[in-house]
């Protein structure tokens, strides 16, 4: 960060990429022989996980390459770097690689990245590297930039040798290595795992282990093998970006969904989002909204409908419903699993718009507090931000009772804004805006 007058600017440098994140990113693409040194590899690399991301300059500079990054860091001695990232308008999540799985399904990311992220990858039999392995797609990469990769002193050399031995047993291969950066690649299929000597550690996970179960699930020091389908496909089977946004995912069949159902859902939400924007248009400018959250994302079609807008969407999938988050990642979008009876892992005032489709009805069935959810939404929402509630009339009536206490203002109310006459036809759309709290002294100043 650099203080310039009354503002803080982020030139894109960091503890490792001294010449700027853009040049560092291009060098990784060059190491991997991607055409034109473009990290998106002609649309085949789309979703990235940046662990220990700092202020998320890596993810920020990837956006211009049509690559979206989940920037992940804890609230530690570096203080609120994730808050900086979100205030820059960069996708970010307050989290930590510890004892529980990260809230993302298996095979979600084409690239994982760690630049001096201060993580001990060798601890507990390499369990943290094995978590990255779970999250990487077939053939996915792990870019590791650290002095250990250069191995100039005895301790660095020891760590490098142990990491090299571990990833070799995990069947990762070195795709490229230059100076202090090494890029490993995960295998495309199970062949290498099957060829390992009996008793080789880390072991393969048990067949009854669900690699997509993440909410509150403990990490296991084991390798997640590919399913029979993935073994035959020898890859993810995904279309390049942007075609994958509207192409049915190969994993649709896991939920019994057909391509026709997927296409119908995409079209339905395209119409609904158009209607939302018509209702919001008197209140917003082209740059009013940047950080959006879909609190019940289902297949991610709300976010997909916003592709041409200069926004990004955190797609949240409730932990007690179908785990469709893997379909959302297959579309080239990002998100997390969450239980809306609990607080969301982000700083206050970090989102410009929240979309709540039947979220209140869902937590009501679970016996959780609607008032608590309203307070959590208010915490997450920036002043002048918007909430779109799409739910039954009784929910809208409930929310209206608290508008004055929350200092929210009703913007629009309308019947079901979609052109579909399906079972959701009795839903009501209610849009509110969070106003700025003013003390009596600041009110006098404005007068």
């Amino acid at each position: 960060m650099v203080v310039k007058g009354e503002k803080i600017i982020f030139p894109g440098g960091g503890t490792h990429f001294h010449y700027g994140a853009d040049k560092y990113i291009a060098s990784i693409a060059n190491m991997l022989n991607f055409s034109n040194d473009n990290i998106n590899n002609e649309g085949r690399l789309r979703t990235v996980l940046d662990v220990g991301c700092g202020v998320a300059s890596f993810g920020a500079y990837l956006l211009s390459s049509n690559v979206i990054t989940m920037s992940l860091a804890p609230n530690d001695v570096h203080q609120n770097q994730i808050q900086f990232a979100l205030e820059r308008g960069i996708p970010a999540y307050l989290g930590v690689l510890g004892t529980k799985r990260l809230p993302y399904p298996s095979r979600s990311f084409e690239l994982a990245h760690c630049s001096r992220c201060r993580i001990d990858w060798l601890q507990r039999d390499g369990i943290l590297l094995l978590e990255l392995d779970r999250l990487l797609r077939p053939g996915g990469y792990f870019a590791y930039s650290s002095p250990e990769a250069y191995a100039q002193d005895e301790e660095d050399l020891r760590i490098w040798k142990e990491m090299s031995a571990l990833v070799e047993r995990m069947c990762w291969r070195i795709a490229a290595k230059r100076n202090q950066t090494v890029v490993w690649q995960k295998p495309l299929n199970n062949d290498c795992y099957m060829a390992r000597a009996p008793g080789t550690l880390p072991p393969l996970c048990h067949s009854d282990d669900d690699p997509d179960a993440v909410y509150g699930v403990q990490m296991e020091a084991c390798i997640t093998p590919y399913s029979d389908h993935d073994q035959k496909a020898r890859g993810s089977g995904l279309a390049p970006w942007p075609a994958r946004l509207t192409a049915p995912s190969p994993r649709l069949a896991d939920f019994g969904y057909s391509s026709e159902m997927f296409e119908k859902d995409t079209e339905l939400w395209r119409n609904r989002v158009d209607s939302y924007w018509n209702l919001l248009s008197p209140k917003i400018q082209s740059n009013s909204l940047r950080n959006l959250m879909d609190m019940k994302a289902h297949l991610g079609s709300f976010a997909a409908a916003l592709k041409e807008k200069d926004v990004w969407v955190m797609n949240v999938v409730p932990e007690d419903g179908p785990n469709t988050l893997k379909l959302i990642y297959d579309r080239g979008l990002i998100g997390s699993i969450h239980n809306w009876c609990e607080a969301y892992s982000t700083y206050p005032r970090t989102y410009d718009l929240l979309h709540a489709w039947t979220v209140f009805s869902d937590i009501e069935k679970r016996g959780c507090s609607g008032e608590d959810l309203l307070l959590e939404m208010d915490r997450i929402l920036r002043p002048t931000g918007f909430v779109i509630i799409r739910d039954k009339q009784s929910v809208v009536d409930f929310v209206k009772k608290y508008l004055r206490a929350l200092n929210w203002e009703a913007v629009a109310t309308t019947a079901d804004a979609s052109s579909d006459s399906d079972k959701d036809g009795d839903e009501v759309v209610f849009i509110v805006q969070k106003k700025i709290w003013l003390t009596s002294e600041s009110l006098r100043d404005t007068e």
Side-chain angles (χ1 to χ4, degrees):
M1 298 180 297
V2 177
V3 177
K4 196 170 185 178
E6 295 183 352
K7 294 186 177 181
I8 295 172
I9 64 170
F10 300 86
T15 54
H16 188 79
F17 27 99
H18 306 291
Y19 301 106
D22 51 349
K23 293 180 176 61
Y24 171 71
I25 290 165
S27 72
I28 292 176
N30 179 266
M31 289 168 63
L32 295 171
N33 295 317
F34 290 170
S35 61
N36 301 316
D37 293 344
N38 193 328
I39 196 70
N40 72 22
N41 193 23
E42 299 180 334
R44 289 186 286 272
L45 193 152
R46 166 64 182 172
T47 50
V48 171
L49 176 68
D50 187 17
V51 182
C53 64
V55 295
S57 288
F58 184 72
Y61 280 78
L62 282 171
L63 286 169
S64 61
S65 298
N66 279 323
V67 172
I68 192 163
T69 306
M70 180 65 79
S71 297
L72 179 82
N75 179 13
D76 61 3
V77 293
H78 286 141
Q79 300 302 319
N80 50 348
Q81 294 192 59
I82 289 297
Q83 190 168 20
F84 275 127
L86 287 161
E87 288 182 353
R88 297 174 72 186
I90 304 166
Y93 188 83
L94 187 65
V96 63
L97 268 168
T99 59
K100 294 182 179 177
R101 287 177 172 176
L102 293 175
Y104 319 119
S106 68
R107 310 195 308 280
S108 292
F109 301 97
E110 274 95 29
L111 170 71
H113 173 257
C114 156
S115 174
R116 297 199 181 190
C117 56
R118 302 191 309 136
I119 290 175
D120 178 6
W121 295 107
L122 295 171
Q123 64 175 281
R124 292 176 288 154
D125 302 315
I127 196 168
L128 304 185
L129 270 178
L130 290 161
E131 174 65 356
L132 290 190
D133 183 81
R134 182 185 71 84
L135 295 174
L136 284 174
R137 297 198 192 280
Y141 300 97
F142 175 44
Y144 178 63
S145 293
S146 184
E148 290 86 7
Y150 195 50
Q152 287 295 288
D153 61 37
E154 189 174 328
E155 179 62 11
D156 287 344
L157 184 61
R158 179 192 68 80
I159 294 172
W160 171 250
K161 283 183 176 178
E162 289 188 28
M163 276 194 72
S164 297
L166 172 60
V167 298
E168 184 178 352
R169 295 195 304 274
M170 290 167 56
C171 292
W172 290 6
R173 70 173 188 89
I174 291 180
K177 187 172 184 290
R178 184 185 297 167
N179 299 329
Q180 291 189 25
T181 300
V182 59
V183 183
W184 284 291
Q185 186 174 25
K186 182 180 174 179
L188 285 167
N189 53 54
N190 292 328
D191 294 355
C192 174
Y193 305 144
M194 297 301 105
R196 298 188 312 163
T200 299
L201 298 176
L204 297 182
C205 298
H206 295 298
S207 58
D208 59 353
D209 176 75
D210 180 3
D212 299 324
V214 296
Y215 199 80
V217 175
Q218 297 286 329
M219 291 182 190
E220 296 280 347
C222 60
I223 297 169
T224 304
Y226 298 121
S227 66
D228 292 341
H229 174 270
D230 295 331
Q231 173 72 4
K232 291 173 186 173
R234 303 180 76 84
S236 64
L238 299 177
W241 178 265
R244 72 170 63 171
L245 184 66
T246 52
S249 161
R251 296 198 273 190
L252 272 175
D254 294 356
F255 301 89
Y257 296 153
S258 65
S259 297
E260 291 75 19
M261 293 166 66
F262 172 82
E263 290 160 4
K264 182 181 178 183
D265 187 77
T266 300
E267 182 61 26
L268 174 66
W269 281 102
R270 186 181 295 120
N271 293 332
R272 288 178 172 177
V273 168
D274 285 345
S275 177
Y276 292 160
W277 244 248
N278 289 334
L279 293 169
L280 285 168
S281 57
K283 290 278 190 176
I284 60 173
Q285 304 296 322
S286 59
N287 60 353
S288 296
L289 305 176
R290 174 62 183 168
N291 301 354
L292 277 58
M293 178 185 287
D294 190 2
M295 297 172 67
K296 184 182 176 184
H298 190 43
L299 301 182
S301 295
F302 170 84
L306 292 164
K307 177 180 179 292
E308 302 306 322
K309 307 285 186 186
D310 189 19
V311 300
W312 65 272
V313 180
M314 179 69 80
N315 293 280
V316 180
V317 172
E319 56 87 21
D320 62 333
N323 190 356
T324 54
L325 190 58
K326 58 186 178 182
L327 305 180
I328 290 168
Y329 274 93
D330 285 354
R331 299 184 79 165
L333 304 169
I334 60 168
S336 64
I337 300 284
H338 183 62
N339 174 1
W340 281 114
C341 294
E342 301 175 5
Y344 190 79
S345 188
T346 191
Y347 284 94
R349 302 176 298 282
T350 42
Y351 284 87
D352 303 307
L353 184 146
L354 307 177
H355 177 243
W357 171 47
T358 66
V359 177
F360 283 89
S361 291
D362 291 344
I363 70 158
E364 181 183 41
K365 293 171 187 172
R366 301 183 67 176
C368 298
S369 167
E371 289 91 343
D372 286 350
L373 180 58
L374 281 171
L375 289 168
E376 175 62 1
M377 292 168 72
D378 185 71
R379 183 186 74 88
I380 293 172
L381 194 64
R382 286 189 179 137
T384 73
F386 296 88
V387 178
I388 301 175
I389 295 171
R390 183 184 202 95
D391 216 314
K392 57 191 178 184
Q393 183 65 53
S394 60
V395 167
V396 172
D397 294 339
F398 165 80
V399 174
K400 284 181 176 178
K401 291 192 302 182
Y402 294 96
L403 290 186
R404 185 173 180 182
L406 291 165
N407 204 23
W408 290 4
E409 181 179 57
V411 171
T413 309
T414 179
D416 183 27
S418 74
S419 57
D420 197 348
S421 58
D422 62 6
K423 61 182 175 61
D424 298 328
D426 59 348
E427 291 175 350
V428 177
V429 175
F430 183 45
I431 301 179
V432 297
Q433 184 174 24
K434 179 178 177 178
K435 295 158 69 177
I436 297 175
W437 284 90
L438 295 172
T439 63
S440 55
E441 184 177 338
S442 59
L443 274 171
R444 284 196 299 272
D445 292 340
T446 59
E447 292 169 356

